[in-house]
Amino acid sequence: MALKVGDIITFERTFTVKDVELFTNISWDQRIHHITPDEQGRLVVQGLLTATLPTKVGGEHNVLARTMNFEFLRPVFTSDTIICEVKIEKYDKKENNRTAIVTTFFCKNQHEKEVLKGNFSGIIL
């Protein structure tokens, strides 16, 4: 898919207990709320695991990220479905045959509550 300024790429993911357990082992982020279920049986998803959502666009388009900024607005829990929208703000061919990309993004849960927003920039390899 060729990208252009103004494109909005939308996708969603539902986080599972297994996702949190695997990320806990990889990140060593073992705070109590990531390993002990709340009264509804949910775990809090690590912020950096939630932050992998907008990086999906970078991975699909071979972006070498230079900057990433995240603002975590509210917790995400296992079984939450997070909808992520990434907007292409800049997409410019450079002299060295590289393409610069700048995006903004926001992620909301199934209750339409914003959980994460930010931006990333880099080059297309």
Side-chain angles (χ1 to χ4, degrees):
M1 166 178 146
L3 297 174
K4 62 185 180 308
V5 171
D7 282 352
I8 297 175
I9 302 161
T10 303
F11 54 92
E12 66 181 51
R13 177 175 180 181
T14 302
F15 287 100
T16 67
V17 170
K18 186 70 173 172
D19 293 331
V20 172
E21 289 171 349
L22 288 169
F23 197 79
T24 297
N25 289 335
I26 291 168
S27 68
W28 297 353
D29 184 352
Q30 301 173 358
R31 287 179 280 159
I32 194 75
H33 50 275
H34 298 314
I35 59 174
T36 303
D38 68 5
E39 62 281 349
Q40 297 173 34
R42 309 171 304 171
L43 298 175
V44 174
V45 176
Q46 290 91 342
L48 288 179
L49 178 53
T50 305
T52 64
L53 290 173
T55 67
K56 176 182 186 297
V57 171
E60 288 179 346
H61 295 281
N62 210 22
V63 173
L64 177 60
R66 296 254 170 102
T67 64
M68 297 177 147
N69 298 296
F70 302 100
E71 184 176 349
F72 301 94
L73 303 169
R74 60 177 34 90
V76 172
F77 296 91
T78 52
S79 77
D80 280 352
T81 298
I82 307 301
I83 300 96
C84 187
E85 290 188 5
V86 178
K87 182 177 181 183
I88 308 303
E89 301 288 350
K90 178 180 176 184
Y91 194 80
D92 288 334
K93 290 274 188 196
K94 298 294 182 188
E95 292 177 19
N96 61 3
N97 276 344
R98 301 287 175 135
T99 301
I101 185 170
V102 176
T103 70
T104 55
F105 59 83
F106 75 91
C107 303
K108 60 186 175 183
N109 64 20
Q110 68 274 14
H111 305 295
E112 300 289 319
K113 301 288 186 184
E114 201 168 34
V115 299
L116 174 66
K117 66 181 180 178
N119 58 70
F120 69 85
S121 65
I123 58 167
I124 307 287
L125 296 177

